[in-house]
């Protein structure tokens, strides 16, 4: 008798991978090189290329993306974009990272490369440069498509690059919710983030062909583990398996290990093709000639100085003569004195100015004689103190962005905050202050207005910020 198993009992092929994120050392592996459907784990690569394009000036977070019909018609999960709509890149990045929105993933790919097909080629080139040898991308979102395959090994490697290559954006993957412009979106795996100690990302994925996939990362103290699962049977069973693998990783990983970050891949967005029309305008069917142009300037050379001794500025030479003459004239000119008629009954006799003046900003050498003390008829000491005008511009304020258990964590928080808030914190001094209760991460050298503005902007992004007065 033939027995047909119900659909719910049919599971996608299973694969797993666990590594020590600090060193890349493999701690557990099962079917890790088997090519399987990655589902929305694909969006890690989509977002990685978006971060790369932003860093290299191809696009900005405030660039308005025009939503195509193709992007708007992608299947859920989606943000609900409409064809012809315009939305900032920053909102699409949030929706793709947090909600795993397929329409936003397609819109990002089309905005960067012109079409999803061209973006898929860039995804594959980037995958090769990262060492993902058994991955082929066909789209930007991860919906099942023939030939769109990856492995647990490759996706774990990609997750490690996301963490260490673009730490300023990694916090996106741990947000429980985010403002996506047109709507508030919620994380697809809030339960895992809330239930597992130290979990801070990275990406979920599900299709019927793929099963329930997850690349997860967790940090405890100085240790960070990345675990990947392909082919989970449900969200709950997949999360339980990933938690088990993370526990295994923390158990096997050494408590101390030197951080060896992965090397950044070569930046190569790909040459653009320009079609030059045929000279024969009467023959519309004539084929054009394709010329491949590399438009990016790889290196800007500093112009070399012409040979010969550098000549001083003639304006400075002319001013030098004028200054010398003026100084000599001032020293040679005697000071005229004018006698004043004495008052009939002067109330107070003016005191003579002391010959020695004590400057507040000058330290008297030990060998120098002590300053003379001038006394008047009433035996009162007359002393004149000259203070130096402050040149700090009032930049005595600062901000505190948290207290941390180690100096390393405080420095990392300062770097991440400085990168996310470059507009207001540019030029400030990052300083870690050791206190009895931990290490405080401070930005110093700000004006009061700049410090208050920075705090308001950071607090709007749910970042702790305390104003530090002079």
């Amino acid at each position: 008798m033939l027995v047909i198993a119900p659909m719910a009992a049919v599971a996608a092929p299973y694969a797993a991978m666990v590594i020590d994120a600090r060193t890349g050392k493999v701690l557990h592996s099962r079917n890790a090189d088997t090519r399987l459907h990655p589902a929305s784990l694909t969006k890690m690569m989509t977002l990685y290329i978006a971060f790369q394009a932003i860093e290299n000036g191809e696009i900005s977070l405030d660039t308005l993306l025009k939503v195509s019909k193709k992007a708007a018609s992608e299947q859920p999960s989606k943000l609900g974009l409409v064809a012809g709509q315009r939305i900032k890149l920053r909102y699409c990045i949030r929706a793709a990272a947090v909600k795993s929105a397929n329409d936003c993933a397609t819109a990002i790919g089309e905005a960067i490369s012109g079409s999803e097909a061209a973006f898929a080629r860039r995804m594959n080139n980037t995958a090769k440069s990262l060492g993902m040898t058994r991955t082929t991308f066909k789209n930007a979102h991860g919906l099942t498509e023939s030939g769109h395959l990856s492995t647990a090994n490759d996706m774990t490697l990609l997750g490690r690059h996301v963490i260490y290559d673009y730490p300023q954006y990694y916090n996106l993957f741990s947000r429980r919710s985010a403002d996506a412009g047109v709507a508030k979106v919620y994380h697809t795996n809030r339960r895992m983030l809330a239930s597992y100690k130290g979990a801070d990302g990275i990406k979920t994925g599900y299709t019927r062909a793929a099963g329930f996939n997850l690349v997860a990362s967790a940090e405890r103290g100085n240790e960070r583990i990345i675990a990947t699962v392909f082919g989970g049977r449900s969200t709950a069973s997949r999360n339980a398996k990933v938690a088990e693998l993370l526990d295994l990783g923390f158990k096997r990983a050494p408590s101390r290990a030197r951080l060896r970050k992965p090397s950044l891949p070569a930046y190569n967005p790909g040459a653009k093709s320009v079609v030059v029309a045929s000279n024969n305008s009467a023959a519309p069917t004539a084929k054009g000639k394709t010329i491949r142009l590399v438009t990016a300037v790889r290196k800007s050379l500093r112009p070399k100085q012409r040979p010969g001794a550098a000549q001083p500025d003639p304006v400075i030479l002319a001013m030098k003569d004028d200054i010398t003459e003026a100084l000599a004239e001032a020293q040679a000119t005697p000071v005229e004195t004018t006698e004043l008629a004495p008052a009939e009954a002067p109330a107070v006799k003016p005191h003579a100015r002391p010959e020695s003046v004590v400057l507040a900003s000058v330290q008297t050498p030990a060998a120098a004689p002590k300053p003379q003390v001038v006394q008047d008829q009433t035996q009162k000491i007359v002393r004149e103190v000259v203070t130096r005008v402050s040149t700090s511009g009032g930049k005595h304020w600062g901000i505190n962005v948290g207290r941390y258990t180690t100096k390393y964590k405080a420095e990392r928080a300062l770097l991440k905050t400085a990168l996310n808030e470059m507009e207001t914190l540019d030029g400030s001094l990052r300083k870690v202050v050791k206190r009895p209760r931990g290490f405080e991460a401070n930005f110093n050298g700000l004006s009061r207005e700049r410090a208050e503005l920075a705090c308001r902007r950071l607090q709007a992004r749910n970042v702790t910020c305390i104003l530090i007065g002079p």
Side-chain angles (χ1 to χ4, degrees):
M1 180 175 64
L2 178 64
V3 178
I4 300 177
M7 288 298 296
V10 178
Y14 172 82
M17 184 84 166
V18 182
I19 67 168
D20 184 337
R22 300 166 297 176
T23 62
K25 181 180 178 181
V26 177
L27 304 176
H28 171 77
S29 176
R30 182 175 176 185
N31 299 329
D33 290 322
T34 303
R35 284 164 57 86
L36 302 170
H37 297 286
S40 286
L41 301 185
T42 300
K43 294 187 181 72
M44 286 195 297
M45 177 59 78
T46 301
L47 294 170
Y48 184 92
I49 293 177
F51 303 152
Q52 185 185 60
I54 293 169
E55 186 173 90
N56 289 278
E58 293 182 67
I59 199 168
S60 77
L61 286 169
D62 292 318
T63 298
L64 288 173
L65 314 186
K66 185 175 181 180
V67 181
S68 67
K69 291 182 179 179
K70 176 174 175 52
S73 63
E74 298 291 3
Q75 298 178 18
S77 171
K78 60 194 301 182
L79 184 59
L81 301 178
V82 180
Q85 178 181 351
R86 293 184 180 273
I87 183 171
K88 287 185 177 181
L89 174 62
R90 67 172 69 247
Y91 295 136
C92 263
I93 287 177
R94 293 175 187 174
V98 176
K99 183 180 172 60
S100 195
N102 295 325
D103 48 359
C104 278
T106 300
I108 291 171
E110 292 176 341
I112 293 175
S113 296
S115 68
E116 191 174 37
F119 188 71
R121 289 193 292 271
R122 177 164 176 174
M123 293 171 75
N124 290 324
N125 290 335
T126 305
K128 290 179 181 178
S129 65
L130 294 175
M132 301 169 63
T133 59
R134 295 183 61 78
T135 295
T136 304
F137 294 112
K138 296 289 186 177
N139 56 57
H141 42 69
L143 293 174
T144 303
E145 185 172 342
S146 177
H148 187 95
L149 299 169
S150 186
T151 68
N153 188 353
D154 283 358
M155 282 297 162
T156 305
L157 176 63
L158 175 58
R160 185 168 185 252
H161 274 279
V162 170
I163 293 171
Y164 290 114
D165 291 358
Y166 297 103
Q168 66 270 37
Y169 297 111
Y170 180 64
N171 67 88
L172 286 167
F173 298 96
S174 61
R175 296 186 184 181
R176 313 290 176 83
S177 63
D179 175 17
V182 298
K184 185 177 183 179
V185 294
Y186 297 90
H187 201 286
T188 55
N189 202 20
R190 300 187 297 277
R191 294 180 181 177
M192 183 72 184
L193 292 173
S195 62
Y196 192 85
K197 180 182 177 181
D200 55 9
I202 305 175
K203 191 72 191 72
T204 61
Y206 168 76
T207 62
R208 184 173 297 177
F212 292 84
N213 298 349
L214 175 61
V215 177
S217 176
E219 185 178 35
R220 293 179 180 175
N222 294 324
E223 302 174 30
R224 178 178 285 280
I225 302 297
I226 300 176
T228 299
V229 163
F230 275 60
R233 297 192 177 191
S234 66
T235 300
S237 65
R238 175 200 64 192
N239 288 353
K241 186 62 179 178
V242 169
E244 177 186 334
L245 293 175
L246 288 172
D247 287 342
L248 180 149
F250 282 115
K251 183 178 179 180
R252 294 184 178 180
S255 58
R256 292 186 179 181
R258 182 180 178 183
L259 175 61
R260 293 194 293 269
K261 296 181 181 180
S263 58
L264 282 169
Y267 172 63
N268 184 18
K272 298 181 180 180
S273 297
V274 179
V275 177
V276 181
S278 171
N279 293 330
N280 185 4
S281 58
T285 58
K287 294 182 179 179
K289 181 181 180 181
T290 301
I291 302 176
R292 303 188 69 83
L293 301 176
V294 178
T295 58
V297 178
R298 295 185 178 272
K299 185 177 181 181
S300 178
L301 299 177
R302 183 186 297 274
K304 296 182 179 179
Q305 188 176 5
R306 292 183 178 180
Q311 298 296 327
D313 191 342
V315 176
I316 296 178
L317 290 176
M319 290 179 62
K320 181 179 178 181
D321 295 338
D322 294 341
I323 292 172
T324 304
E325 292 177 2
L327 180 61
E329 182 179 352
Q331 292 175 343
T333 302
V335 179
E336 297 182 359
T337 58
T338 303
E339 295 183 358
L340 300 176
E344 295 181 0
V348 180
K349 184 178 181 179
H351 300 296
R353 179 185 179 94
E355 296 180 358
S356 61
V357 178
V358 180
L359 298 178
S361 60
V362 178
Q363 296 181 355
T364 306
K370 296 183 179 179
Q372 298 179 359
V373 179
V374 180
Q375 298 181 342
D376 60 5
Q377 295 176 355
T378 61
Q379 300 300 316
K380 292 183 180 180
I381 298 175
V382 179
R383 179 175 295 173
E384 182 176 349
V385 179
V386 178
T387 59
R388 180 177 296 171
V389 178
S390 172
T391 58
S392 64
K395 295 183 179 181
H396 305 294
W397 292 75
I399 63 172
N400 173 271
V401 293
R403 182 184 291 118
Y404 300 87
T405 56
T406 65
K407 183 179 180 181
Y408 168 75
K409 289 184 178 180
E411 291 175 342
R412 188 176 66 174
L414 286 173
L415 177 59
K416 184 184 296 185
T417 305
L419 291 171
N420 290 336
E421 191 52 45
M422 287 188 291
E423 182 176 348
T424 57
L425 297 179
D426 184 31
S428 63
L429 175 65
R430 299 196 300 268
K431 186 174 182 180
V432 176
V433 181
K434 186 177 181 180
R435 303 292 188 193
R437 298 179 60 186
F439 295 83
E440 294 185 356
N442 298 337
F443 288 91
N444 298 329
L446 296 169
S447 64
R448 179 171 183 172
E449 294 77 8
R450 182 60 64 90
E452 290 176 345
L453 175 60
C455 257
R456 288 198 301 271
R457 291 169 64 101
L458 291 172
Q459 290 169 352
R461 292 202 292 269
N462 297 323
V463 177
T464 302
C465 183
I466 301 173
L467 202 64
I468 303 174

